[in-house]
Amino acid sequence: MKECKNVCDTQSCFVCQRCLPDWLPAVKAQRINFEVKKGQSIFAENDLVSGIYFIYSGTVKVHKRWDKDKELIIRFAKAGDIMGHLGLGKDPKYPVSATALEPTVLCYIDRAFFESTLKVNTDLTFKLMHFFADELQHSRKSMLDFVHMSVKARIAKSLIALRNQFGMSADNTINLELSRQDLASFSGASYETLFKVVNELTLNKIVELTGRRIKILDEAELLNIINQDNLNVK
Amino acid sequence: MKECKNVCDTQSCFVCQRCLPDWLPAVKAQRINFEVKKGQSIFAENDLVSGIYFIYSGTVKVHKRWDKDKELIIRFAKAGDIMGHLGLGKDPKYPVSATALEPTVLCYIDRAFFESTLKVNTDLTFKLMHFFADELQHSRKSMLDFVHMSVKARIAKSLIALRNQFGMSADNTINLELSRQDLASFSGASYETLFKVVNELTLNKIVELTGRRIKILDEAELLNIINQDNLNVK
DNA sequence: CGAGTTGTTGACCTACTTCAATTCTCGTGG
DNA sequence: CCACGAGAATTGAAGTAGGTCAACAACTCG
């Protein structure tokens, strides 16, 4: 991980202004930007928490391995998102790993400095608390979905989620290239099962996967699958 | 839900002092205590968020139905715990339900008042943020466990979790009476499967279930089951 | 052009869930 | 005090989603 040449400490620096979420102006002084190559690890589970990361550009997957070739992707993070905030809790270890999916520029803020900023800046802390409340709600929801939805519905949900987070271009292609492997990990399914389901969806003209490109052809039908499944469990 | 006679607004009130977590002294003025009967609902999913609850005494299950006779118990809450804090997020609805498992006394704090207290009290907000970070970490972890652990291991984990949260008396009985139905919902398994697994555990002298009483005889073996399973997934 | 990944597919296999049948338990009214 | 009915406990049998494995195709990259 080499230090980015865009290290900056003035308001006028374009890079850093974008690097931080707009509600975090207070920490603009003490920070360092890093550049990470595609596929490179940013932090790994059980690493000691040393700070918090903000993404300036690129995309990162936050994931947890539980075996050599098995992992669950918990979420994706893109420009403007926070990472490593779980380290703010009691346990001073990152419970998950983060790996860059494309060349990524990150902004790193030392934990001690971040915490002392929080102590001073009520408003910031308040907003961060709200952010956590939202995250928690979202996390709970996806946990429930995992437990009671079928793999097919989970895949449909994953696709919709990707679309919502990254948007799609005019031709309905999701603005994120993703391997099937990662898609499987994100849906909590085995690679082969994902393949079979995606195949079926392709035959029914609901989605189209060419290489790492994902195209959603029939969103209504995807939503249908998700809902049907909710009912089918009866 | 009838108003409890122990409504109080002075420091000297025993009830209210215990009702609030020790790090929340600031809100001691504006609150109301309620009494809830066993099995009674405190709030249900999609209810509009009106406030936040603290448990003074008793036990509550926080759960989500997804069908008439299917639910997942997300967590249990006991004296001193917070409930309904997810409503602090963007979406002004409770995403889950809460139901009393035994006669319970709750302390209710209006959302607006709670929020304005937070705005003033930096330290409180800071601690709450940390609490959320911990919760989030815990929530993520249990999501992962659900995805990759076998039912047997999930049940073992549930038992350990109950022991940790509620403790056990001298004869190794967990200090919480729980129906098998609820135990199944907590482990994310069907009633029958839970039964069979519990049966096996009983035969092997690992646990003992008599009625709603749960006794842990061989904790080491339970932990073993959890770990074995982690490995078995290979 | 081989050797090594990475896609594709089919055939099992297993851990659950679901369903159905039976027994047990306990409250209630005759 | 007993009978009886409702609901829980208990158990077995059958069905199924989806994970695993193994084989092959197809596409890289030296």
Side-chain angles (χ1 to χ4, degrees), chain B residues 217-233:
Chain B
L217 302 178
D218 189 347
E219 185 184 338
E221 193 49 36
L222 275 186
L223 293 171
N224 219 19
I225 289 171
I226 298 175
N227 289 328
Q228 254 186 354
D229 205 76
N230 273 334
L231 300 176
N232 275 351
V233 191

mmCIF file with all atom_site columns, all heavy atoms in Angstrom, chain B residues 217-233:
data_model
loop_
_atom_site.group_PDB
_atom_site.id
_atom_site.type_symbol
_atom_site.label_atom_id
_atom_site.label_alt_id
_atom_site.label_comp_id
_atom_site.label_asym_id
_atom_site.label_entity_id
_atom_site.label_seq_id
_atom_site.pdbx_PDB_ins_code
_atom_site.Cartn_x
_atom_site.Cartn_y
_atom_site.Cartn_z
_atom_site.occupancy
_atom_site.B_iso_or_equiv
_atom_site.pdbx_formal_charge
_atom_site.auth_seq_id
_atom_site.auth_comp_id
_atom_site.auth_asym_id
_atom_site.auth_atom_id
_atom_site.pdbx_PDB_model_num
ATOM 1   N N   . LEU B 1 217 ? -25.286 -29.302 30.656 1.00 0.00 ? 217 LEU B N   1
ATOM 2   C CA  . LEU B 1 217 ? -24.486 -30.257 31.426 1.00 0.00 ? 217 LEU B CA  1
ATOM 3   C C   . LEU B 1 217 ? -23.033 -30.270 30.975 1.00 0.00 ? 217 LEU B C   1
ATOM 4   O O   . LEU B 1 217 ? -22.126 -30.444 31.768 1.00 0.00 ? 217 LEU B O   1
ATOM 5   C CB  . LEU B 1 217 ? -25.077 -31.671 31.281 1.00 0.00 ? 217 LEU B CB  1
ATOM 6   C CG  . LEU B 1 217 ? -26.531 -31.821 31.731 1.00 0.00 ? 217 LEU B CG  1
ATOM 7   C CD1 . LEU B 1 217 ? -27.023 -33.237 31.487 1.00 0.00 ? 217 LEU B CD1 1
ATOM 8   C CD2 . LEU B 1 217 ? -26.678 -31.453 33.200 1.00 0.00 ? 217 LEU B CD2 1
ATOM 9   N N   . ASP B 1 218 ? -22.828 -30.105 29.696 1.00 0.00 ? 218 ASP B N   1
ATOM 10  C CA  . ASP B 1 218 ? -21.468 -30.226 29.175 1.00 0.00 ? 218 ASP B CA  1
ATOM 11  C C   . ASP B 1 218 ? -21.170 -29.089 28.199 1.00 0.00 ? 218 ASP B C   1
ATOM 12  O O   . ASP B 1 218 ? -21.320 -29.232 26.990 1.00 0.00 ? 218 ASP B O   1
ATOM 13  C CB  . ASP B 1 218 ? -21.306 -31.584 28.491 1.00 0.00 ? 218 ASP B CB  1
ATOM 14  C CG  . ASP B 1 218 ? -19.861 -31.855 28.128 1.00 0.00 ? 218 ASP B CG  1
ATOM 15  O OD1 . ASP B 1 218 ? -19.042 -30.909 28.176 1.00 0.00 ? 218 ASP B OD1 1
ATOM 16  O OD2 . ASP B 1 218 ? -19.548 -33.014 27.790 1.00 0.00 ? 218 ASP B OD2 1
ATOM 17  N N   . GLU B 1 219 ? -20.738 -27.982 28.770 1.00 0.00 ? 219 GLU B N   1
ATOM 18  C CA  . GLU B 1 219 ? -20.524 -26.797 27.947 1.00 0.00 ? 219 GLU B CA  1
ATOM 19  C C   . GLU B 1 219 ? -19.407 -27.012 26.930 1.00 0.00 ? 219 GLU B C   1
ATOM 20  O O   . GLU B 1 219 ? -19.508 -26.604 25.772 1.00 0.00 ? 219 GLU B O   1
ATOM 21  C CB  . GLU B 1 219 ? -20.190 -25.606 28.842 1.00 0.00 ? 219 GLU B CB  1
ATOM 22  C CG  . GLU B 1 219 ? -20.076 -24.325 28.049 1.00 0.00 ? 219 GLU B CG  1
ATOM 23  C CD  . GLU B 1 219 ? -19.650 -23.160 28.920 1.00 0.00 ? 219 GLU B CD  1
ATOM 24  O OE1 . GLU B 1 219 ? -19.849 -23.222 30.144 1.00 0.00 ? 219 GLU B OE1 1
ATOM 25  O OE2 . GLU B 1 219 ? -19.097 -22.199 28.358 1.00 0.00 ? 219 GLU B OE2 1
ATOM 26  N N   . ALA B 1 220 ? -18.354 -27.691 27.386 1.00 0.00 ? 220 ALA B N   1
ATOM 27  C CA  . ALA B 1 220 ? -17.203 -27.916 26.508 1.00 0.00 ? 220 ALA B CA  1
ATOM 28  C C   . ALA B 1 220 ? -17.646 -28.617 25.226 1.00 0.00 ? 220 ALA B C   1
ATOM 29  O O   . ALA B 1 220 ? -17.221 -28.264 24.121 1.00 0.00 ? 220 ALA B O   1
ATOM 30  C CB  . ALA B 1 220 ? -16.151 -28.750 27.224 1.00 0.00 ? 220 ALA B CB  1
ATOM 31  N N   . GLU B 1 221 ? -18.527 -29.598 25.392 1.00 0.00 ? 221 GLU B N   1
ATOM 32  C CA  . GLU B 1 221 ? -18.985 -30.353 24.233 1.00 0.00 ? 221 GLU B CA  1
ATOM 33  C C   . GLU B 1 221 ? -19.804 -29.473 23.294 1.00 0.00 ? 221 GLU B C   1
ATOM 34  O O   . GLU B 1 221 ? -19.717 -29.596 22.070 1.00 0.00 ? 221 GLU B O   1
ATOM 35  C CB  . GLU B 1 221 ? -19.808 -31.558 24.701 1.00 0.00 ? 221 GLU B CB  1
ATOM 36  C CG  . GLU B 1 221 ? -20.098 -32.589 23.647 1.00 0.00 ? 221 GLU B CG  1
ATOM 37  C CD  . GLU B 1 221 ? -18.856 -33.016 22.857 1.00 0.00 ? 221 GLU B CD  1
ATOM 38  O OE1 . GLU B 1 221 ? -17.762 -33.096 23.448 1.00 0.00 ? 221 GLU B OE1 1
ATOM 39  O OE2 . GLU B 1 221 ? -18.994 -33.244 21.628 1.00 0.00 ? 221 GLU B OE2 1
ATOM 40  N N   . LEU B 1 222 ? -20.581 -28.560 23.875 1.00 0.00 ? 222 LEU B N   1
ATOM 41  C CA  . LEU B 1 222 ? -21.357 -27.625 23.053 1.00 0.00 ? 222 LEU B CA  1
ATOM 42  C C   . LEU B 1 222 ? -20.424 -26.779 22.196 1.00 0.00 ? 222 LEU B C   1
ATOM 43  O O   . LEU B 1 222 ? -20.624 -26.631 20.986 1.00 0.00 ? 222 LEU B O   1
ATOM 44  C CB  . LEU B 1 222 ? -22.195 -26.695 23.935 1.00 0.00 ? 222 LEU B CB  1
ATOM 45  C CG  . LEU B 1 222 ? -23.565 -27.186 24.405 1.00 0.00 ? 222 LEU B CG  1
ATOM 46  C CD1 . LEU B 1 222 ? -24.297 -26.089 25.136 1.00 0.00 ? 222 LEU B CD1 1
ATOM 47  C CD2 . LEU B 1 222 ? -24.394 -27.682 23.233 1.00 0.00 ? 222 LEU B CD2 1
ATOM 48  N N   . LEU B 1 223 ? -19.400 -26.238 22.844 1.00 0.00 ? 223 LEU B N   1
ATOM 49  C CA  . LEU B 1 223 ? -18.437 -25.410 22.126 1.00 0.00 ? 223 LEU B CA  1
ATOM 50  C C   . LEU B 1 223 ? -17.772 -26.233 21.024 1.00 0.00 ? 223 LEU B C   1
ATOM 51  O O   . LEU B 1 223 ? -17.508 -25.753 19.924 1.00 0.00 ? 223 LEU B O   1
ATOM 52  C CB  . LEU B 1 223 ? -17.386 -24.865 23.088 1.00 0.00 ? 223 LEU B CB  1
ATOM 53  C CG  . LEU B 1 223 ? -17.928 -23.866 24.108 1.00 0.00 ? 223 LEU B CG  1
ATOM 54  C CD1 . LEU B 1 223 ? -16.884 -23.529 25.157 1.00 0.00 ? 223 LEU B CD1 1
ATOM 55  C CD2 . LEU B 1 223 ? -18.409 -22.603 23.418 1.00 0.00 ? 223 LEU B CD2 1
ATOM 56  N N   . ASN B 1 224 ? -17.540 -27.479 21.364 1.00 0.00 ? 224 ASN B N   1
ATOM 57  C CA  . ASN B 1 224 ? -16.961 -28.414 20.411 1.00 0.00 ? 224 ASN B CA  1
ATOM 58  C C   . ASN B 1 224 ? -17.808 -28.540 19.157 1.00 0.00 ? 224 ASN B C   1
ATOM 59  O O   . ASN B 1 224 ? -17.298 -28.503 18.040 1.00 0.00 ? 224 ASN B O   1
ATOM 60  C CB  . ASN B 1 224 ? -16.841 -29.772 21.089 1.00 0.00 ? 224 ASN B CB  1
ATOM 61  C CG  . ASN B 1 224 ? -15.566 -30.453 20.690 1.00 0.00 ? 224 ASN B CG  1
ATOM 62  O OD1 . ASN B 1 224 ? -14.649 -29.793 20.215 1.00 0.00 ? 224 ASN B OD1 1
ATOM 63  N ND2 . ASN B 1 224 ? -15.516 -31.758 20.866 1.00 0.00 ? 224 ASN B ND2 1
ATOM 64  N N   . ILE B 1 225 ? -19.095 -28.690 19.373 1.00 0.00 ? 225 ILE B N   1
ATOM 65  C CA  . ILE B 1 225 ? -20.024 -28.832 18.251 1.00 0.00 ? 225 ILE B CA  1
ATOM 66  C C   . ILE B 1 225 ? -19.943 -27.600 17.352 1.00 0.00 ? 225 ILE B C   1
ATOM 67  O O   . ILE B 1 225 ? -19.882 -27.705 16.132 1.00 0.00 ? 225 ILE B O   1
ATOM 68  C CB  . ILE B 1 225 ? -21.465 -29.011 18.764 1.00 0.00 ? 225 ILE B CB  1
ATOM 69  C CG1 . ILE B 1 225 ? -21.610 -30.395 19.395 1.00 0.00 ? 225 ILE B CG1 1
ATOM 70  C CG2 . ILE B 1 225 ? -22.474 -28.839 17.638 1.00 0.00 ? 225 ILE B CG2 1
ATOM 71  C CD1 . ILE B 1 225 ? -22.913 -30.604 20.112 1.00 0.00 ? 225 ILE B CD1 1
ATOM 72  N N   . ILE B 1 226 ? -19.903 -26.432 17.988 1.00 0.00 ? 226 ILE B N   1
ATOM 73  C CA  . ILE B 1 226 ? -19.843 -25.196 17.205 1.00 0.00 ? 226 ILE B CA  1
ATOM 74  C C   . ILE B 1 226 ? -18.572 -25.161 16.365 1.00 0.00 ? 226 ILE B C   1
ATOM 75  O O   . ILE B 1 226 ? -18.605 -24.866 15.171 1.00 0.00 ? 226 ILE B O   1
ATOM 76  C CB  . ILE B 1 226 ? -19.891 -23.968 18.141 1.00 0.00 ? 226 ILE B CB  1
ATOM 77  C CG1 . ILE B 1 226 ? -21.202 -23.956 18.906 1.00 0.00 ? 226 ILE B CG1 1
ATOM 78  C CG2 . ILE B 1 226 ? -19.721 -22.690 17.352 1.00 0.00 ? 226 ILE B CG2 1
ATOM 79  C CD1 . ILE B 1 226 ? -21.310 -22.874 19.938 1.00 0.00 ? 226 ILE B CD1 1
ATOM 80  N N   . ASN B 1 227 ? -17.456 -25.508 16.978 1.00 0.00 ? 227 ASN B N   1
ATOM 81  C CA  . ASN B 1 227 ? -16.187 -25.441 16.267 1.00 0.00 ? 227 ASN B CA  1
ATOM 82  C C   . ASN B 1 227 ? -16.061 -26.513 15.201 1.00 0.00 ? 227 ASN B C   1
ATOM 83  O O   . ASN B 1 227 ? -15.648 -26.235 14.080 1.00 0.00 ? 227 ASN B O   1
ATOM 84  C CB  . ASN B 1 227 ? -15.026 -25.559 17.244 1.00 0.00 ? 227 ASN B CB  1
ATOM 85  C CG  . ASN B 1 227 ? -14.904 -24.304 18.069 1.00 0.00 ? 227 ASN B CG  1
ATOM 86  O OD1 . ASN B 1 227 ? -15.216 -23.218 17.602 1.00 0.00 ? 227 ASN B OD1 1
ATOM 87  N ND2 . ASN B 1 227 ? -14.470 -24.448 19.300 1.00 0.00 ? 227 ASN B ND2 1
ATOM 88  N N   . GLN B 1 228 ? -16.413 -27.716 15.575 1.00 0.00 ? 228 GLN B N   1
ATOM 89  C CA  . GLN B 1 228 ? -16.385 -28.816 14.614 1.00 0.00 ? 228 GLN B CA  1
ATOM 90  C C   . GLN B 1 228 ? -17.085 -28.404 13.358 1.00 0.00 ? 228 GLN B C   1
ATOM 91  O O   . GLN B 1 228 ? -16.592 -28.584 12.257 1.00 0.00 ? 228 GLN B O   1
ATOM 92  C CB  . GLN B 1 228 ? -17.114 -30.029 15.204 1.00 0.00 ? 228 GLN B CB  1
ATOM 93  C CG  . GLN B 1 228 ? -16.188 -31.118 15.650 1.00 0.00 ? 228 GLN B CG  1
ATOM 94  C CD  . GLN B 1 228 ? -16.960 -32.335 16.091 1.00 0.00 ? 228 GLN B CD  1
ATOM 95  O OE1 . GLN B 1 228 ? -18.189 -32.326 16.162 1.00 0.00 ? 228 GLN B OE1 1
ATOM 96  N NE2 . GLN B 1 228 ? -16.243 -33.398 16.390 1.00 0.00 ? 228 GLN B NE2 1
ATOM 97  N N   . ASP B 1 229 ? -18.244 -27.802 13.567 1.00 0.00 ? 229 ASP B N   1
ATOM 98  C CA  . ASP B 1 229 ? -19.043 -27.425 12.426 1.00 0.00 ? 229 ASP B CA  1
ATOM 99  C C   . ASP B 1 229 ? -18.326 -26.407 11.564 1.00 0.00 ? 229 ASP B C   1
ATOM 100 O O   . ASP B 1 229 ? -18.380 -26.459 10.346 1.00 0.00 ? 229 ASP B O   1
ATOM 101 C CB  . ASP B 1 229 ? -20.364 -26.861 12.907 1.00 0.00 ? 229 ASP B CB  1
ATOM 102 C CG  . ASP B 1 229 ? -21.424 -27.030 11.859 1.00 0.00 ? 229 ASP B CG  1
ATOM 103 O OD1 . ASP B 1 229 ? -21.894 -28.152 11.724 1.00 0.00 ? 229 ASP B OD1 1
ATOM 104 O OD2 . ASP B 1 229 ? -21.703 -26.054 11.160 1.00 0.00 ? 229 ASP B OD2 1
ATOM 105 N N   . ASN B 1 230 ? -17.661 -25.496 12.219 1.00 0.00 ? 230 ASN B N   1
ATOM 106 C CA  . ASN B 1 230 ? -16.912 -24.499 11.466 1.00 0.00 ? 230 ASN B CA  1
ATOM 107 C C   . ASN B 1 230 ? -15.899 -25.161 10.551 1.00 0.00 ? 230 ASN B C   1
ATOM 108 O O   . ASN B 1 230 ? -15.649 -24.694 9.456  1.00 0.00 ? 230 ASN B O   1
ATOM 109 C CB  . ASN B 1 230 ? -16.184 -23.550 12.428 1.00 0.00 ? 230 ASN B CB  1
ATOM 110 C CG  . ASN B 1 230 ? -17.072 -22.397 12.833 1.00 0.00 ? 230 ASN B CG  1
ATOM 111 O OD1 . ASN B 1 230 ? -17.979 -22.027 12.103 1.00 0.00 ? 230 ASN B OD1 1
ATOM 112 N ND2 . ASN B 1 230 ? -16.819 -21.842 13.991 1.00 0.00 ? 230 ASN B ND2 1
ATOM 113 N N   . LEU B 1 231 ? -15.336 -26.239 11.031 1.00 0.00 ? 231 LEU B N   1
ATOM 114 C CA  . LEU B 1 231 ? -14.344 -26.935 10.247 1.00 0.00 ? 231 LEU B CA  1
ATOM 115 C C   . LEU B 1 231 ? -14.982 -27.819 9.193  1.00 0.00 ? 231 LEU B C   1
ATOM 116 O O   . LEU B 1 231 ? -14.525 -27.900 8.068  1.00 0.00 ? 231 LEU B O   1
ATOM 117 C CB  . LEU B 1 231 ? -13.450 -27.778 11.162 1.00 0.00 ? 231 LEU B CB  1
ATOM 118 C CG  . LEU B 1 231 ? -12.701 -26.967 12.215 1.00 0.00 ? 231 LEU B CG  1
ATOM 119 C CD1 . LEU B 1 231 ? -11.918 -27.869 13.123 1.00 0.00 ? 231 LEU B CD1 1
ATOM 120 C CD2 . LEU B 1 231 ? -11.798 -25.952 11.542 1.00 0.00 ? 231 LEU B CD2 1
ATOM 121 N N   . ASN B 1 232 ? -16.070 -28.470 9.594  1.00 0.00 ? 232 ASN B N   1
ATOM 122 C CA  . ASN B 1 232 ? -16.707 -29.415 8.693  1.00 0.00 ? 232 ASN B CA  1
ATOM 123 C C   . ASN B 1 232 ? -17.082 -28.804 7.356  1.00 0.00 ? 232 ASN B C   1
ATOM 124 O O   . ASN B 1 232 ? -17.090 -29.488 6.347  1.00 0.00 ? 232 ASN B O   1
ATOM 125 C CB  . ASN B 1 232 ? -17.964 -30.006 9.340  1.00 0.00 ? 232 ASN B CB  1
ATOM 126 C CG  . ASN B 1 232 ? -17.617 -31.191 10.211 1.00 0.00 ? 232 ASN B CG  1
ATOM 127 O OD1 . ASN B 1 232 ? -16.474 -31.641 10.178 1.00 0.00 ? 232 ASN B OD1 1
ATOM 128 N ND2 . ASN B 1 232 ? -18.563 -31.689 10.971 1.00 0.00 ? 232 ASN B ND2 1
ATOM 129 N N   . VAL B 1 233 ? -17.413 -27.536 7.394  1.00 0.00 ? 233 VAL B N   1
ATOM 130 C CA  . VAL B 1 233 ? -17.775 -26.884 6.142  1.00 0.00 ? 233 VAL B CA  1
ATOM 131 C C   . VAL B 1 233 ? -16.547 -26.874 5.235  1.00 0.00 ? 233 VAL B C   1
ATOM 132 O O   . VAL B 1 233 ? -16.619 -26.590 4.078  1.00 0.00 ? 233 VAL B O   1
ATOM 133 C CB  . VAL B 1 233 ? -18.266 -25.445 6.408  1.00 0.00 ? 233 VAL B CB  1
ATOM 134 C CG1 . VAL B 1 233 ? -18.890 -24.858 5.162  1.00 0.00 ? 233 VAL B CG1 1
ATOM 135 C CG2 . VAL B 1 233 ? -19.274 -25.434 7.534  1.00 0.00 ? 233 VAL B CG2 1
#
